[in-house]
């Protein structure tokens, strides 16, 4: 049944109006029948003991020991400061939870050849799954003069294929030239193919679309061309389109949104597409037919990192609800793999307080929590990103105020807390991520009144009710639980119960949360 609510809006201009908004139904309370069953205690996952760095432009990867990401997951390093440890141990990032590294962070002449052609017999020290490439807008706009990359209103001007083979040509067939990347790894097959393990498009021209059909045609052609010129191991996706963009808010209405039409809009000829070389073989196909993964996710803005701000109204920003909501909504709209962009500093947005420049790191709990809770959504992977590459520690602050608190002038202890979160999850529970696990997400059932009534809440409902967040993964008779009372003070104490009463199990347990600490625990269900 469709539900609607009537809202009154007063704009900044003083204008006011009424509007109808579609909202999801409220969750139904399930009352416990009979006495509360015996409970099973969770075994709490250990924490590593370390002193976070206070140095600027520096972080220590050795706050934890060695561990690896499960083979069923992917975490790409495109962060800052690989240069801090790469000379000591080039492979260390692969023993700190990362499974791949972006081209811009690779070691020249060891992981990727720095010149035109490597010597005979030379091969990269990286396997195909360990290689990742981000293709930004300027690849198309600046290198090849395709103006559409920066201005989608020019979609009806793009040439698909042309007879020219000159480097300076301006057609979208240049996507096929990515097959030449195999040269830099020394592993080109007889017929050249792109041998990156992951290719991510970051064109960001899918907003305010002027020619929707042309846009759909171009993205479909581009993805098909790239797939045809890549190795069978290469996975390709794009920052957009995605099934739904919550923009980090996690509103009730997000859960009622349909999939973005641009994901599945079939290609078809327009008045000028044939003369511009659009092939017939993409007609009826869509971006969704060729993309290997979607990239729903959100960067932080300062408000969700601000513990003094309000975080309980439908339109409020909330660090955990924002992250979980993006995944909860998208996973229901599409079964495709999901890889989110992850950044541990606030993204720049002058419309929000203290967000004009990327100077605020994620607080320790937020950094650790992102490393744990994100994987409880069933996401396939993450792209760990930063706007800075090499770090030089202990530098004086820049004279320019706009550069202060950015780049080398940041404290990167948030990286240590993030790696610690990965270590807690995957060092101790990697066996649960074998492809047989079930992610409960908003089907996680909890009680907030000592077991009398039980609810299944999505991230928005937890946010707006100011309740603790609890999420669980089940694999056979094993249950893994993550929980936190976001934004709670250090002296606050919160009690919540969890149960799993499916598949023949009758599992009940109680969690006692301290402050906003990230709890992680596991039990064997009977």
């Amino acid at each position: 049944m469709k539900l609607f609510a009537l809202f009154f809006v007063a704009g900044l201009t003083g204008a006011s109006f009424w509007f109808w908004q579609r909202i999801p139904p409220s969750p139904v309370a399930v009352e416990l029948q009979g006495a509360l069953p015996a409970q099973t205690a969770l075994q709490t996952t250990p924490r590593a003991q370390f002193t976070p760095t206070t140095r600027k432009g520096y972080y220590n990867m050795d706050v934890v020991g060695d561990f690896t990401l499960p083979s069923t997951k992917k975490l790409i390093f495109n962060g800052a400061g690989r240069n801090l440890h790469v000379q000591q141990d080039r492979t260390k990032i692969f023993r700190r939870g990362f499974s791949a590294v972006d081209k811009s962070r690779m070691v020249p002449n060891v992981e990727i050849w720095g010149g035109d052609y490597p010597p005979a017999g030379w091969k990269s020290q990286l396997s195909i799954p360990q290689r990742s490439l981000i293709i930004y807008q300027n690849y198309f706009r600046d290198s090849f003069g395709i103006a559409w990359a920066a201005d989608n209103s020019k979609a009806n001007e793009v040439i698909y294929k042309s007879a020219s083979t000159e480097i300076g040509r301006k057609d979208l067939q240049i996507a096929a030239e990515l097959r030449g990347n195999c040269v830099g790894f020394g592993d080109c097959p007889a017929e050249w193919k792109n041998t990156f393990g992951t290719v991510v498009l970051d064109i960001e021209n899918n907003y305010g679309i002027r020619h929707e059909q042309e846009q759909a045609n171009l993205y479909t052609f581009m993805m098909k061309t790239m797939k045809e010129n890549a190795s069978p191991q290469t996975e390709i996706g794009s920052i957009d389109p995605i099934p739904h963009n919550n923009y980090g808010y996690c509103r009730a209405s997000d859960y009622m949104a349909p999939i973005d039409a641009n994901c599945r809009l079939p290609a078809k000829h327009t008045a000028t597409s044939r003369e511009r070389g659009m092939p017939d073989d993409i007609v009826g196909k869509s971006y969704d037919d060729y993309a290997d993964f979607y990239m729903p996710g959100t960067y932080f803005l300062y408000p969700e990192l601000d513990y003094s701000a309000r975080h309980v109204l439908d339109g409020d920003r909330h660090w955990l609800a924002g992250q979980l909501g993006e995944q909860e909504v998208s996973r229901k709209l599409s079964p495709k793999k999901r890889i989110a962009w992850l950044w541990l500093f606030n993204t720049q947005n002058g419309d929000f307080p203290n967000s004009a420049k990327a100077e605020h790191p994620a607080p320790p709990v937020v950094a650790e929590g992102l490393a744990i809770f994100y994987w409880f959504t069933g996401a396939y992977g993450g792209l760990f990103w930063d706007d800075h590459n090499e770090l030089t520690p202990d530098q004086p602050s820049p004279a320019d105020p706009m550069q202060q608190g950015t780049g080398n002038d940041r404290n990167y202890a948030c990286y240590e807390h993030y790696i610690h979160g990965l270590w807690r999850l995957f060092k101790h529970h990697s066996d649960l991520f074998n492809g047989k696990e079930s992610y409960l997400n908003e089907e996680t059932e909890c009680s907030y009144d000592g077991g009398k009534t039980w609810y299944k809440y999505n991230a928005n409902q937890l946010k707006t009710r100011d309740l603790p967040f609890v999420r669980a993964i089940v694999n056979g008779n094993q249950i893994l639980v993550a929980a936190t009372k976001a934004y709670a003070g250090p002296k606050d104490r919160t009690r919540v119960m969890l149960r799993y009463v499916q598949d023949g199990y009758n599992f009940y347990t109680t969690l006692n949360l301290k402050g906003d600490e990230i709890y992680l625990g596991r039990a064997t269900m009977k």
Side-chain angles (χ1 to χ4, degrees), residues 58-255:
Y58 176 81
Y59 63 94
N60 179 12
M61 293 199 87
D62 292 326
V63 294
V64 297
D66 289 353
F67 69 101
T68 56
L69 196 73
S71 61
T72 57
K73 301 296 181 182
K74 175 180 295 193
L75 185 57
I76 301 162
F77 185 87
N78 191 50
R82 191 184 179 204
N83 62 295
L84 297 174
H85 51 80
V86 73
Q87 295 300 326
Q88 173 197 12
D89 186 347
R90 180 190 64 80
T91 64
K92 182 169 288 187
I93 60 169
F94 302 119
R95 301 195 310 279
R96 294 298 183 271
F98 297 95
S99 62
V101 60
D102 183 73
K103 177 182 178 181
S104 62
R105 273 62 171 170
M106 291 181 185
V107 180
N109 303 331
V110 177
E111 296 175 339
I112 189 168
W113 189 252
D116 291 334
Y117 288 91
W122 180 91
K123 286 192 176 182
S124 169
Q125 294 297 304
L126 296 175
S127 64
I128 289 179
Q130 291 177 319
R131 310 168 189 168
S132 181
L133 173 67
I134 301 174
I135 303 174
Y136 293 100
Q137 182 184 98
N138 60 0
Y139 173 80
F140 299 94
R141 181 194 63 204
D142 301 339
S143 300
F144 296 94
I146 299 177
W148 161 79
D151 180 1
N152 67 47
S153 70
K154 299 184 182 298
N156 59 354
E157 302 174 10
V158 177
I159 304 298
Y160 288 82
K161 294 182 179 181
S162 62
S164 171
T165 58
E166 298 297 322
I167 294 297
R169 73 182 191 273
K170 297 183 179 182
D171 62 71
L172 206 57
Q173 186 67 11
I174 54 99
E177 293 191 2
L178 293 168
R179 64 176 177 245
N181 279 307
C182 63
V183 173
F185 298 117
D187 62 356
C188 287
E191 181 183 356
W192 282 12
K193 296 287 185 180
N194 183 338
T195 54
F196 278 98
T198 311
V199 177
V200 173
L201 289 174
D202 188 15
I203 302 176
E204 300 191 42
N205 70 348
N206 231 31
Y207 304 94
I209 299 173
R210 298 285 297 277
H211 305 288
E212 189 173 57
Q213 188 61 59
E214 297 282 11
Q215 187 84 350
N217 293 350
L218 291 171
Y219 266 86
T220 302
F221 175 80
M222 185 165 52
M223 293 301 291
K224 179 178 184 292
T225 302
M226 292 174 66
K227 289 291 292 180
E228 289 174 342
N229 290 277
S231 77
Q233 293 175 262
T234 304
E235 295 183 306
I236 303 176
S238 175
I239 193 171
D240 52 33
I242 59 174
H244 178 67
N245 195 335
N246 299 358
Y247 298 100
Y249 283 98
C250 190
R251 296 157 294 207
S253 59
D254 290 318
Y255 287 84

Side-chain angles (χ1 to χ4, degrees), residues 446-468:
C446 292
S447 174
Y448 311 94
D449 58 8
K452 297 176 183 178
T453 54
W454 295 84
Y455 290 91
K456 297 177 181 180
Y457 284 135
N458 64 38
N460 169 267
Q461 292 159 346
L462 291 169
K463 176 184 78 167
T464 55
R465 288 162 174 79
D466 196 21
L467 292 171

Side-chain angles (χ1 to χ4, degrees), residues 446-449 462 465-470 483-497 510-517 519:
C446 292
S447 174
Y448 311 94
D449 58 8
L462 291 169
R465 288 162 174 79
D466 196 21
L467 292 171
F469 281 70
V470 183
T484 187
K485 179 63 173 71
Y487 303 106
K491 295 183 179 180
D492 292 339
R493 297 294 181 266
T494 306
R495 176 174 290 187
V496 58
M497 294 187 69
T510 296
L511 295 86
N512 294 294
L513 307 178
K514 300 176 182 178
D516 65 339
E517 182 179 272
Y519 178 81

Side-chain angles (χ1 to χ4, degrees), residues 176-370:
E177 293 191 2
L178 293 168
R179 64 176 177 245
N181 279 307
C182 63
V183 173
F185 298 117
D187 62 356
C188 287
E191 181 183 356
W192 282 12
K193 296 287 185 180
N194 183 338
T195 54
F196 278 98
T198 311
V199 177
V200 173
L201 289 174
D202 188 15
I203 302 176
E204 300 191 42
N205 70 348
N206 231 31
Y207 304 94
I209 299 173
R210 298 285 297 277
H211 305 288
E212 189 173 57
Q213 188 61 59
E214 297 282 11
Q215 187 84 350
N217 293 350
L218 291 171
Y219 266 86
T220 302
F221 175 80
M222 185 165 52
M223 293 301 291
K224 179 178 184 292
T225 302
M226 292 174 66
K227 289 291 292 180
E228 289 174 342
N229 290 277
S231 77
Q233 293 175 262
T234 304
E235 295 183 306
I236 303 176
S238 175
I239 193 171
D240 52 33
I242 59 174
H244 178 67
N245 195 335
N246 299 358
Y247 298 100
Y249 283 98
C250 190
R251 296 157 294 207
S253 59
D254 290 318
Y255 287 84
M256 304 296 284
I259 190 169
D260 185 330
N262 293 294
C263 294
R264 295 173 178 167
L265 183 63
K268 69 178 183 179
H269 281 294
T270 65
T272 64
S273 61
R274 279 192 172 87
E275 65 187 64
R276 290 182 285 115
M278 176 180 145
D280 292 336
D281 61 4
I282 67 169
V283 173
K285 298 291 186 179
S286 69
Y287 171 88
D288 186 78
D289 289 316
Y290 298 108
D292 293 299
F293 56 85
Y294 282 118
M295 303 193 77
T298 182
Y299 286 159
F300 296 122
L301 288 162
Y302 179 73
E304 51 259 51
L305 306 181
D306 181 6
Y307 275 50
S308 67
R310 187 188 62 200
H311 303 285
V312 297
L313 298 186
D314 187 64
D316 288 347
R317 299 190 67 86
H318 186 292
W319 81 262
L320 185 50
Q323 296 295 328
L324 298 184
E326 294 281 343
Q327 303 305 319
E328 289 176 355
V329 171
S330 287
R331 64 185 286 272
K332 290 190 171 183
L333 294 175
S334 171
K336 276 193 185 296
K337 296 176 179 179
R338 289 169 281 119
I339 298 177
W341 296 71
L342 308 169
W343 192 16
L344 295 182
F345 292 86
N346 71 282
T347 191
Q348 305 94 322
N349 190 322
D351 294 334
F352 291 84
N354 298 314
S355 297
K357 54 182 179 176
E359 60 180 326
H360 300 286
V365 165
V366 175
E368 180 189 337
L370 178 62

Side-chain angles (χ1 to χ4, degrees), residues 44-50 63-64 364-365 368 372 417 420-421 423-424 428 517-520:
T44 302
T45 305
R47 307 183 67 86
Q49 299 300 314
F50 65 95
V63 294
V64 297
V365 165
E368 180 189 337
I372 293 175
H417 294 289
H420 177 231
W423 174 85
R424 292 189 71 203
H428 302 89
E517 182 179 272
I518 304 298
Y519 178 81
L520 185 64

